[in-house]
Amino acid sequence: MASSLTKDSVRPGTPGTGKTFFGHPRGLATLFMTEMWERFSYYGMRALLPLYLVAPGGLHLNAGTATAIYSVYVSLVYLLAMPGGWFGDRVWGPRRTVAVAGAVIMLGHLTLALPSAGTFYAGLGLVAIGSGLLKANISTMVGHLYDGPDDPRRDGGFTVFYMGINLGAFAAPLIIGTIGENVNWHFGFALAALGMALGLAQFLLGSRHLADRSSVVPKPLSAEEKAGTLRKAAIWAGIAVVAYAIVGFSGHYTLNWILVPLTLLGVIIPVMVLVNIKRDRELDRPEQSKMSAYIWFFVAAAVFWMIYDQGGSTLSIFADSSADNTVLGWEFPVSWYQSVNPVLIMALAPVFAWFWLALNKRGKEPSTIVKFASGLVLVGASFFLFLAPLSIAEGGHKAAAMWLVAIYFVQTVGELLLSPVGLSVTTKMAPAKYASQMMGVWFLAVTAGDATTGLLSIAGVDLNRTGIVAMEATLAVVAGVAVWMYRKRVKELMGDVR
């Protein structure tokens, strides 16, 4: 519902001086809808992905290979957010980068819709590339709508924007999942392409409401830098082509020739990035200390996401084969479980915000470290809870759907404790030199966690075995307790950050 603002509320030339969107710049509606449709396409496809990979009417792969593919795909999306942000800063500018990203994502979903195993993997690659390009740049454009970091509307604008993420994520499994599972898998992927097409169309039509600076390339590459970048890219691409040509023509090619290098990159690159920042001699002593503390948070977050993101793979595959997916005798599609988290986020996030504010007024709000540790313990507890339906299934019975809903509930509470805190502490502890890059570094924790899951699956570890699930649960709880036990030391390293 549109409202009006006084002329004094924003400076001249700031988007939103005319009609507004819930009191925010009109461009927020454009970005809200773009993100909602992009998340609709992404989460709809993601809900179908592991089920399609194991289905007799799909690729009919074993659960381990399906989990590895899913984990590699998710880790790539977050890994590519860093080069995506680089393209926005150095090559195309945020607005053009998002437009190109939308087109690439749509093309990827259309490729997934083709009934061919060969094109399927190409489609996954295109969606991952497009999502990486879009992820960092669209959030940057939300910030451009406001009159600097002190604009009182800024935090509320991001809250509205993130509601778009959860609305798209909630609706996608219910619509795309139902079509994909009950009608045709490829129709489901095509519906994801339609969702992205709608998002791209309204982005292009509504881009006139965006800030002018969103079209600007902040730090354009010089001619020398551009030539050097293209030369390096061509060399690496040539090495890859030659290597895979040799493997292919020799008859030794298997899917692991793609999965193993990508999972290793998902673990190695985050480590290299952190080491590179930590060893930078231009950082002063307080910045070095904060980075030492940040590594604690990063490792803990990687453990968290390793377990949390199995909600879309390990838990989904278990539900497909071993759960009684019915409510009052009515059977629902397995992909619908993926709507549980976003609807819980929308319901619980305002409650948490109110709760922290109430505790803060009384001087009793838990510290960042305590919240982080609690999130880890809860995600571990969710997998201890997973042991119950696993035991029921091993006894030859179908586990009730509410067991899985309970697991997703505990994980969502853990996410609300850890994820917002992680985003906040990343911005607060970032060295000045790496201020614009640190959000990409935070995303690398997701990459590292999912890549670890991928490596375990490739190694033949059955992630649906009670022993493995118990081991992962114990790891998360121990990590949470360790963060809590060393909270004084971490607090000292954090310096003036609280």
Side-chain angles (χ1 to χ4, degrees), residues 262-421:
L262 291 177
T263 49
L264 289 174
L265 285 175
V267 175
I268 293 170
I269 289 177
V271 173
M272 289 178 61
V273 169
L274 287 173
V275 169
N276 181 61
I277 296 174
K278 189 72 180 70
R279 295 179 64 182
D280 190 337
R281 295 183 178 179
E282 293 183 15
L283 302 188
D284 57 30
R285 187 181 295 274
E287 288 177 324
Q288 286 282 0
S289 178
K290 289 174 184 176
M291 280 306 301
S292 295
Y294 185 75
I295 289 172
W296 277 80
F297 291 108
F298 185 93
V299 173
V303 173
F304 178 91
W305 296 117
M306 179 185 73
I307 294 176
Y308 178 91
D309 274 347
Q310 288 184 58
S313 55
T314 305
L315 286 176
S316 187
I317 292 171
F318 172 83
D320 187 41
S321 62
S322 305
D324 178 18
N325 305 308
T326 60
V327 175
L328 300 175
W330 175 72
E331 186 173 0
F332 58 88
V334 175
S335 53
W336 283 24
Y337 284 111
Q338 301 310 308
S339 289
V340 174
N341 171 259
V343 77
L344 287 174
I345 289 287
M346 289 188 286
L348 295 176
V351 176
F352 270 72
W354 169 83
F355 185 60
W356 297 139
L357 186 61
L359 288 179
N360 183 267
K361 288 179 178 178
R362 298 174 184 174
K364 295 182 179 180
E365 183 180 3
S367 68
T368 293
I369 301 170
V370 171
K371 290 178 183 176
F372 219 86
S374 300
L376 268 172
V377 170
L378 279 173
V379 83
S382 76
F383 259 35
F384 278 125
L385 188 60
F386 186 25
L387 293 175
L390 280 173
S391 299
I392 292 170
E394 287 177 358
H397 304 285
K398 292 280 188 178
M402 290 310 296
W403 279 113
L404 294 170
V405 172
I407 294 168
Y408 287 118
F409 174 81
V410 175
Q411 290 187 344
T412 301
V413 175
E415 179 188 3
L416 287 169
L417 284 167
L418 182 139
S419 187
V421 170

